[in-house]
Amino acid sequence: MKQLLNCFQHILENGKVKTDRTGTGTISTFGYQMRFNLREAFPMATTKKTFEHSFKGELLWMLSGGTNAYALEKKYGTKIWLEWADKETGELGRIYGKQWRDYRGVDKSGNVIHVDQIKQLIHDIKTNPDSRRLIVTAWNPAELDQMNLPPCHCFYQFYVSDGELSCQLYQRSVDSFLGLSYNIAFYSLLTHLIAHVCDLKVGEFIHTSGDLHIYLDHIDQVKLQLSREPKQLPQVKINPEVKDIFDFTFDDIEIVGYESHPHIKGKVSV
């Protein structure tokens, strides 16, 4: 996936050293965009191993409205949220899945309302595909203090043209070495699933970055990735019998033909 390697090179060549919330320090740039043609292949990083169960499990968990890291680990073996979870309960607060499925706001009469954004999104794609409001947001300013980690991938929009569904994500903060390849795979898969249940083909996935950075303790790992030659990208196979976005199971989604270089370890900055 050459777009990812070009992104790394862009940060190393243009980034500035900045302090950050974790105290680790970063090389940071602001504003960067990558485009992936989902018609041709599934954009899953091959210059280091990307673990399929992690992004598949996390996506299905979020679509279910899940907010418990222990439940995520038990069901899918996905450990990526454990660092931020309550150590006793595993809870993470009103993070992504809760905002997607139960966004709380106030109507014009001052009444609290609950919005299932995923249900609304799919309804709108099916009934008004030319809408410019095919949007889901996890960034709820009134509830940021109820989240153990405010959303990094905070806002995404869909676009329908010529029977194809495309998605653009805005990610306010991007841990390029550890997180970016998973974010790309996660939202590319979400685009496939929503296209499938809406009887559309896939178009593009567009990733737009805010603060795009490499942590200072990941520079050697990034350079190792840059030294590796990308391999052929895989494809996605989806169970054609599933018609509802909330009915997908892990086994209904298959990544076919994935080959990669070995995994590269890196420490998570919390």
Side-chain angles (χ1 to χ4, degrees), residues 104-164:
R104 296 191 299 204
V106 179
D107 67 15
K108 62 184 179 181
S109 299
N111 301 310
V112 175
I113 57 172
H114 298 257
V115 181
D116 187 326
Q117 296 187 84
I118 302 298
K119 283 186 178 179
Q120 185 66 53
L121 171 72
I122 290 172
H123 174 269
D124 290 347
I125 290 173
K126 289 180 175 180
T127 60
N128 187 16
D130 289 335
S131 173
R132 297 187 290 264
R133 302 176 183 180
L134 303 175
I135 289 169
V136 174
T137 178
W139 191 266
N140 188 340
E143 296 192 340
L144 292 179
D145 62 352
Q146 298 177 49
M147 307 177 194
N148 289 24
L149 181 69
C152 294
H153 38 107
C154 52
F155 174 100
Y156 54 99
Q157 180 176 4
F158 286 94
Y159 179 85
V160 181
S161 178
D162 295 329
E164 294 182 343

Side-chain angles (χ1 to χ4, degrees), residues 7-32 172-178 180 209-223 226 269:
C7 174
F8 289 161
Q9 198 66 49
H10 170 79
I11 300 168
L12 292 175
E13 292 177 357
N14 300 284
K16 305 297 182 183
V17 176
K18 290 189 67 175
T19 58
D20 71 286
R21 171 187 56 80
T22 72
T24 306
T26 67
I27 299 177
S28 169
T29 63
F30 187 66
Y32 188 84
R172 67 168 181 88
S173 176
V174 189
D175 178 346
S176 299
F177 172 67
L178 282 182
L180 181 54
S209 302
D211 188 317
L212 175 70
H213 51 266
I214 298 170
Y215 281 101
L216 296 181
D217 58 358
H218 292 161
I219 292 175
D220 289 342
Q221 291 95 319
V222 166
K223 289 181 177 178
L226 283 167
S269 291

Side-chain angles (χ1 to χ4, degrees), residues 165-177:
L165 183 72
S166 295
C167 176
Q168 179 170 206
L169 169 71
Y170 180 81
Q171 187 166 351
R172 67 168 181 88
S173 176
V174 189
D175 178 346
S176 299
F177 172 67

Side-chain angles (χ1 to χ4, degrees), residues 74-90:
K74 182 178 180 180
K75 187 167 186 178
Y76 299 112
T78 302
K79 302 176 183 291
I80 53 180
W81 278 99
L82 295 177
E83 296 285 353
W84 292 277
D86 182 277
K87 300 308 177 188
E88 292 185 7
T89 66

Side-chain angles (χ1 to χ4, degrees), residues 122 125-126 129 160-165 191-202 240-244 248:
I122 290 172
I125 290 173
K126 289 180 175 180
V160 181
S161 178
D162 295 329
E164 294 182 343
L165 183 72
T191 306
H192 272 275
L193 296 186
I194 291 182
H196 176 81
V197 300
C198 293
D199 294 320
L200 296 167
K201 296 179 180 180
V202 289
E241 300 301 317
V242 181
K243 303 300 183 183
D244 189 305
F248 282 109

